[in-house]
Amino acid sequence: MTYTYDDQNIFAKILRGEIPNETVHETEHTLAFRDIYPQAPVHVLVIPKGPYVCYDHFARAASDAEIVDYTRVVGQLCAELGVQEDGYRLISNAGAHGVQEVPHLHVHILGGRVLGRMLAKA
Ligand code: AMP
């Protein structure tokens, strides 16, 4: 599948500094910030700075440096956000069935409470 990146999506605007965000961690290739509508006491979004729509797009098209940086930031944040001991959940929604709202790759880090089962029954 060929992905077309929409540079008007809200996370692209955050990366360009057009919309404010509550940054918790930033590196050369990666930005992490608080979700504006938190669904748990800890709810942070981690995005690559490059134009990738979703996880499989990123895994195929990003450089090794971007992938290593992104992966390490997600892992470091689990420690820095204090959710390692009691546990956490990583979610990355993609496309229509994944109900992805923002078409720029993001991993949700959720924690700080028992999160329930992975999926609600439809
Ligand atoms: P998803 O459904 O995985 O695409 O989730 C998109 C997430 O982005 C949702 O949890 C929103 O609350 C969050 N979100 C949307 N706009 C902003 C924003 N300006 N700053 C921080 N988080 C946002």
Side-chain angles (χ1 to χ4, degrees):
M1 166 151 180
T2 304
Y3 288 106
T4 303
Y5 182 78
D6 169 16
D7 69 4
Q8 294 307 306
N9 79 74
I10 202 152
F11 295 168
K13 291 179 180 177
I14 284 176
L15 286 167
R16 289 195 295 268
E18 295 166 11
I19 291 177
N21 74 92
E22 197 181 330
T23 298
V24 296
H25 197 102
E26 183 168 11
T27 64
E28 181 184 357
H29 297 298
T30 305
L31 180 69
F33 53 93
R34 305 258 176 212
D35 195 291
I36 202 165
Y37 299 118
Q39 295 183 40
V42 173
H43 190 171
V44 166
L45 302 172
V46 190
I47 66 172
K49 291 184 175 176
Y52 306 108
V53 174
C54 59
Y55 195 93
D56 66 277
H57 184 207
F58 178 69
R60 188 178 66 237
S63 68
D64 289 359
E66 291 174 294
I67 291 170
V68 168
D69 186 72
Y70 188 73
T71 305
R72 292 217 192 282
V73 167
V74 172
Q76 283 168 20
L77 278 168
C78 294
E80 288 172 18
L81 294 168
V83 296
Q84 261 181 337
E85 192 162 327
D86 289 330
Y88 58 88
R89 182 169 296 156
L90 305 181
I91 298 175
S92 190
N93 298 316
H97 281 193
V99 196
Q100 181 180 12
E101 289 174 21
V102 181
H104 182 115
L105 168 62
H106 48 286
V107 165
H108 299 252
I109 302 177
L110 293 148
R113 67 169 171 82
V114 176
L115 296 163
R117 294 211 174 264
M118 188 168 69
L119 295 175
K121 286 185 180 141

